[in-house]
Amino acid sequence: MFRFLVLVGALSVFCHNVLTTSCPFCIGVDECESNQSIPKVTCTASIVNQTVTELSVFYEDLTEFTAIVSVYSCVDVKFRIQGHDNNAFAVQGCTAGQKSICSQPTFDINGSLNCSSRNVGHSMHRPDSVGLLSRALLSLVAVIGAFAVSS
């Protein structure tokens, strides 16, 4: 019985981690290109706003990437001025929605803009994004816990 409880608990933690959206987050060349690993953060409206504000110097219209949603994308953007060997700009963070910010029109820039984006799923921070599997596992844990306490 104890092993079963541990298994169910591990599954619920796993499902929470899979459904929680997290992305590497850094602002600035020094922070993003350090030899240390870049910390991952849980995507929130605040992280999205910071990321999109930084990227607004290159991209023309980013309003749809700050909308309140339950799906986020991770973005990694670097800019190198033409004729220079090192990046002049670097940001990694979260954007709202499934659409890639990299496909947005850019302002005229004199250099190379390198952008990659990947959709990472739903956030658990909004009630409407809690998956059926997560609710079922939490209910199962509660029922098993009640049986364990009554035994």
Side-chain angles (χ1 to χ4, degrees):
M1 181 69 157
F2 178 72
R3 288 181 185 176
F4 183 69
L5 284 174
V6 170
L7 175 65
V8 170
L11 284 174
S12 64
V13 168
F14 172 76
C15 287
H16 177 268
N17 288 336
V18 166
L19 294 174
T20 300
T21 305
S22 62
C23 297
F25 181 72
C26 61
I27 296 177
V29 175
D30 291 339
E31 188 177 330
C32 294
E33 295 182 0
S34 69
N35 290 333
Q36 300 174 7
S37 64
I38 298 169
K40 283 192 170 189
V41 296
T42 300
C43 293
T44 63
S46 175
I47 296 294
V48 166
N49 284 332
Q50 288 179 45
T51 304
V52 172
T53 297
E54 292 293 322
L55 296 177
S56 66
V57 298
F58 296 107
Y59 295 97
E60 291 182 14
D61 182 18
L62 301 181
T63 53
E64 70 182 286
F65 296 96
T66 59
I68 297 174
V69 296
S70 61
V71 177
Y72 295 95
S73 296
C74 294
V75 66
D76 180 357
V77 178
K78 294 176 178 64
F79 174 72
R80 183 173 292 171
I81 298 171
Q82 186 173 357
H84 288 80
D85 294 332
N86 297 322
N87 289 326
F89 176 91
V91 166
Q92 291 185 43
C94 305
T95 59
Q98 293 180 338
K99 185 176 175 184
S100 172
I101 200 168
C102 301
S103 62
Q104 289 299 108
T106 60
F107 295 112
D108 288 332
I109 53 176
N110 186 21
S112 171
L113 188 63
N114 181 1
C115 180
S116 64
S117 177
R118 64 180 174 82
N119 182 275
V120 289
H122 296 273
S123 172
M124 294 288 284
H125 294 290
R126 296 196 47 198
D128 59 341
S129 67
V130 177
L132 180 61
L133 180 61
S134 294
R135 288 188 297 232
L137 284 173
L138 291 174
S139 298
L140 183 61
V141 168
V143 169
I144 291 171
F147 279 124
V149 169
S150 67
S151 297

